[in-house]
Amino acid sequence: MNTSIIIALVTVALLFVCVFAGVHISFTLMSLSFVGLFLVTSNLSTALSVLSTTAFNAIRTYTYCVIPLFMLMGTIMAVSGSAGDLFKWAHKMLEKVPGGLAAATVIGNAVFAAVTGVSVASATVFSQVAIPEMRRYKYDSNFATGIVCGSSNLGMIIPPSLFFIVYGTVAQVSIGQLFVGGVLPGILMATIFIIYTSIYGTRHPAAIGLDPVTRKPLYEDPDPKGKLESTLRALPIVLLIIVVLGGIWGGYVTPTEASAIGCLGAFIIALCKRSLTWKSTGSILLDTSKGSAGILMLLVSAQMYSRLLSVSGAVKWVSTSILSANLPNWALIGVFLLLVLALGCVIDGNSIILLTTPIIQPVIQAMGYNQVWWGVILVMAVCIGQITPPFGTIVFACKGVLGDIVDVATIFKHALPYIVLMLLTIAICMIFPQIILFLPNMMMS
């Protein structure tokens, strides 16, 4: 092992130390990139030149417009009340089904995921929309909170997904194929969630607003609005999703073009609903700008750090060392997933993808696995970290909305079954990879 590799590995260790100590991830990546390259090249001007060139080229292409555009699309839809329309539509369709409100929450979150791309946004919105409604229908508050936390993760699996954009950017994998690859796993996960809530409601009728003895509803005042009205209010959102995802899948538009179409469609829907004001529009633009700037800065710093690992030869050395261990492929993938799950307990999903992809991806590629398949598996594993203690961003988003209705420990407890269900979905997709690859393969044919 030469000196350059040792320097790079030391920076990796320092990176995790700094992240766990609470140092901002972008600042940490940039600082260690500069110090590492200076030590590897022994030349200050060379280190500065490499990093400045990398930073300049990192996000120059117009492809990166998908980040602010999809975030803007999701923010407009959240502010316009579209999530509530989706939820009420799903509820009316399932009102005769025991536990139909729980299933409606999952379906509403799944459909809303196709316009937000950010699961924390879904958690915040549905904590405001679905949980009060479920409580009105005498659902158990803890059970209702668990449903919202679990199904909000669909926002990062069903496209457009910010995690897919970040992974595709760092790994140089087609974002369009990643989007399409996440469709069937997202539907599968939503279906598993619905099956679970149905089984749980059958065994615990009081949790879904039914009398434990007679199994008749405990509520008295169901929503009088009809199915037709609910369908008409949700129809524009569903059509927008079909246009955006169908355009990408059919090859008619690129993800960047689809994101622009989605923004325009979301803006038109919001105008028709008369839900935008000058003040709310300013807040939407400001929130989108802040969120996009943070993500883009992360991507720039990640590209700089990837350049350090590449120049030092550390990536090749790690890849060769892991492969030379002659472990079975399933064991290596298991180790990678355990690493991702462990990191999910302490740092955010974007940081996990940025930290692990430069090291893990070459190994996955050398083993002959499809990069789109691994990207979807990785994102599903990263999503689990959003509901695991102590970091659990979705849990804290729900807590922030609900206040004193339920405590954080209780939310984590009732989110636990959804961690198991997400692991089950990952296992199914690993055993049957065509669940992920079927649509991307059709897209390429």
Side-chain angles (χ1 to χ4, degrees), residues 323-334:
L323 293 174
S324 64
N326 293 322
L327 292 174
N329 288 354
W330 62 266
L332 287 176
I333 292 178

Side-chain angles (χ1 to χ4, degrees), residues 52-396:
S52 61
T53 302
T54 302
F56 180 73
N57 292 320
I59 54 174
R60 284 186 65 196
T61 61
Y62 91 110
T63 303
Y64 294 97
C65 292
V66 296
I67 294 174
L69 286 175
F70 272 130
M71 291 187 72
L72 177 60
M73 175 183 170
T75 307
I76 293 173
M77 298 298 277
V79 172
S80 68
S82 297
D85 292 337
L86 286 169
F87 174 74
K88 291 173 182 177
W89 167 68
H91 178 204
K92 295 307 293 184
M93 295 301 105
L94 299 168
E95 62 182 349
K96 300 298 183 182
V97 179
L101 204 53
T105 303
V106 176
I107 294 172
N109 236 326
V111 179
F112 191 61
V115 293
T116 57
V118 182
S119 53
V120 173
S122 297
T124 302
V125 171
F126 274 82
S127 293
Q128 296 171 320
V129 172
I131 292 178
E133 192 73 2
M134 283 191 276
R135 294 184 71 202
R136 187 166 78 88
Y137 280 80
K138 307 302 182 183
Y139 274 57
D140 178 73
S141 295
N142 295 330
F143 177 61
T145 306
I147 296 169
V148 170
C149 285
S151 59
S152 293
N153 260 313
L154 296 169
M156 285 303 191
I157 299 170
I158 295 176
S161 161
L162 186 59
F163 284 170
F164 283 148
I165 295 172
V166 173
Y167 171 77
T169 301
V170 176
Q172 298 297 302
V173 177
S174 167
I175 294 174
Q177 289 188 35
L178 288 168
F179 279 180
V180 175
V183 172
L184 293 183
I187 293 174
L188 173 64
M189 186 177 293
T191 303
I192 291 175
F193 286 173
I194 291 172
I195 293 172
Y196 165 73
T197 57
S198 177
I199 294 174
Y200 187 91
T202 301
R203 297 184 62 182
H204 305 86
I208 59 172
L210 299 180
D211 186 281
V213 178
T214 64
R215 295 192 175 256
K216 292 183 178 181
L218 296 172
Y219 54 83
E220 298 178 357
D221 184 27
D223 191 341
K225 293 182 180 179
K227 293 182 179 179
L228 180 59
E229 180 182 349
S230 300
T231 302
L232 291 176
R233 292 181 68 86
L235 186 59
I237 308 153
V238 176
L239 290 176
L240 178 61
I241 295 168
I242 293 172
V243 169
V244 171
L245 297 186
I248 296 174
W249 183 16
Y252 300 109
V253 295
T254 65
T256 308
E257 293 165 345
S259 65
I261 294 171
C263 276
L264 178 61
F267 184 69
I268 292 172
I269 291 172
L271 286 179
C272 292
K273 288 168 63 67
R274 298 181 181 179
S275 56
L276 289 183
T277 63
W278 285 110
K279 183 178 180 179
S280 64
T281 302
S283 298
I284 288 170
L285 294 174
L286 183 60
D287 291 344
T288 303
S289 300
K290 288 180 178 179
S292 302
I295 297 300
L296 292 171
M297 185 58 72
L298 276 172
L299 292 175
V300 170
S301 58
Q303 292 283 356
M304 295 168 69
Y305 193 70
S306 296
R307 182 58 61 91
L308 164 64
L309 297 179
S310 176
V311 170
S312 67
V315 172
K316 184 177 180 180
W317 178 83
V318 169
S319 177
T320 303
S321 300
I322 292 175
L323 293 174
S324 64
N326 293 322
L327 292 174
N329 288 354
W330 62 266
L332 287 176
I333 292 178
V335 171
F336 293 154
L337 290 177
L338 286 175
L339 173 64
V340 171
L341 293 174
L343 290 174
C345 295
V346 289
I347 59 177
D348 67 281
N350 287 315
S351 299
I352 295 172
I353 295 172
L354 293 171
L355 291 175
T356 59
T357 298
I359 297 173
I360 293 178
Q361 189 206 10
V363 180
I364 295 293
Q365 197 167 10
M367 290 191 296
Y369 288 106
N370 185 286
Q371 297 299 294
V372 172
W373 172 83
W374 170 249
V376 176
I377 294 292
L378 173 65
V379 166
M380 287 195 287
V382 168
C383 285
I384 293 176
Q386 297 190 113
I387 54 175
T388 54
F391 193 76
T393 51
I394 286 180
V395 170
F396 286 103

